[in-house]
Amino acid sequence: FGSGDDGRPAPSPSPTTERTSGASDADDVPGLAGVAGSGRSSPPDPASLPLTGLTVALDPGHNGANAQHPDQVGAPVPDGRGGSKACNTVGTSTDAGYPEHAFTWDVASRAGAALEALGAQVVLTRSDDQGVGPCVDVRGRSAQDAGADVLVSVHANGSDDKAARGFFVIVADPPPAVEIDEGLRAENAASSERLATDMVGALASAGFPPSGSVGGAISRRGDLGTLNFAERPAVLLELGEMRNLDEAALMSSEEGRQRYADAIAVGVVAWAG
Ligand code: ZN
């Protein structure tokens, strides 16, 4: 939030846990298993898989060593709107200390495996959970740089209000000011909205509560570098509230993280279909 590349609904500008520095701050796809595996030992025909031919860029928010490198993480980079913002942020954590970077890394890794089982190619913006960065502009460019068709950035929110709960999905608004054809820009914007709607549907269908309401679970923001540099359809997922004790328990469990990951894969399948 704020200078960080995380979203919470814009109207509540209370101080948050997304800082540029500071140590305290911290596959089986339900309903699709039959499509992907059919329970046979021989590998499925790639042509029969729903995501064959699609390349998905997954961006696990933050990174494990960001907190130890405040100068590097806090260095300004272009924000995609003519200004600048911090390279990256430390991210939030549960009250028990489970950090957002570990959550996003694990969920993105599991979602990547689920997507590959469905025929997609997957690229990640970082290769482990021990590094620093990459900066938000690099994350935002990752889809086009890797030849991917779509960008999904994975985060969790850190509202101070422990009663706050639920996921929301952020799209860039106005659309990214990248130098692409106006027609393509409009196409990407419409496709990002569809992807956001499909992600909300997939997460809600998987039993996760939307923030506020399903209809209100899409947030539109212009200040997120991760979205502002994307030349492909792109969304940023805030999968839940890490300071909410119920959601923290879910996020801290492997089973919970697998459920989030499977829902992401279902959302991509809905969008791609
Ligand atoms: Zn985040």
Side-chain angles (χ1 to χ4, degrees):
F1 178 67
S3 64
D5 216 351
D6 266 83
R8 65 185 57 196
S12 57
S14 58
T16 77
T17 55
E18 291 284 345
R19 297 176 193 152
T20 56
S21 62
S24 70
D25 201 7
D27 283 23
D28 58 324
V29 181
L32 292 169
V35 178
S38 303
R40 297 175 188 275
S41 56
S42 58
D45 176 4
S48 70
L49 296 174
L51 297 182
T52 296
L54 189 79
T55 300
V56 180
L58 292 177
D59 172 42
H62 315 280
N63 207 336
N66 279 7
Q68 287 75 50
H69 297 81
D71 291 348
Q72 190 177 343
V73 167
V77 298
D79 67 356
R81 302 287 183 188
S84 66
K85 70 185 307 176
C87 160
N88 209 198
T89 54
V90 171
T92 187
S93 67
T94 68
D95 285 359
Y98 180 60
E100 181 186 355
H101 64 78
F103 171 73
T104 66
W105 171 248
D106 191 70
V107 169
S109 299
R110 291 171 186 270
L115 289 164
E116 286 176 347
L118 293 163
Q121 289 192 287
V122 174
V123 292
L124 294 168
T125 57
R126 54 182 170 103
S127 56
D128 56 44
D129 194 35
Q130 276 83 51
V132 181
C135 300
V136 290
D137 54 335
V138 174
R139 292 174 190 258
R141 292 190 185 99
S142 62
Q144 59 261 33
D145 286 353
D149 300 293
V150 61
L151 171 64
V152 178
S153 184
V154 179
H155 287 258
N157 208 18
S159 292
D160 292 329
D161 178 6
K162 291 185 185 305
R165 66 195 287 263
F167 68 84
F168 56 100
V169 181
I170 308 173
V171 294
D173 183 25
V178 290
E179 291 182 18
I180 56 175
D181 173 75
E182 278 305 319
L184 182 58
R185 189 196 316 283
E187 201 176 296
N188 283 351
S191 190
S192 296
E193 289 282 344
R194 282 199 308 278
L195 177 59
T197 300
D198 288 332
M199 284 295 179
V200 169
L203 287 162
S205 294
F208 298 109
S211 176
S213 66
V214 170
I218 298 178
S219 176
R220 294 173 180 82
R221 290 176 54 169
D223 63 326
L224 301 182
T226 298
L227 297 178
N228 289 348
F229 286 95
E231 297 177 11
R232 300 288 185 276
V235 294
L236 189 150
L237 308 176
E238 294 284 3
L239 289 173
E241 295 284 350
M242 297 199 89
R243 300 297 174 94
N244 178 286
L245 294 180
D246 290 339
E247 295 199 316
L250 195 57
M251 292 175 181
S252 301
S253 75
E254 282 194 33
E255 183 193 359
R257 294 193 294 271
Q258 189 64 50
R259 283 180 55 208
Y260 282 112
D262 289 341
I264 291 170
V266 169
V268 172
V269 169
W271 171 80

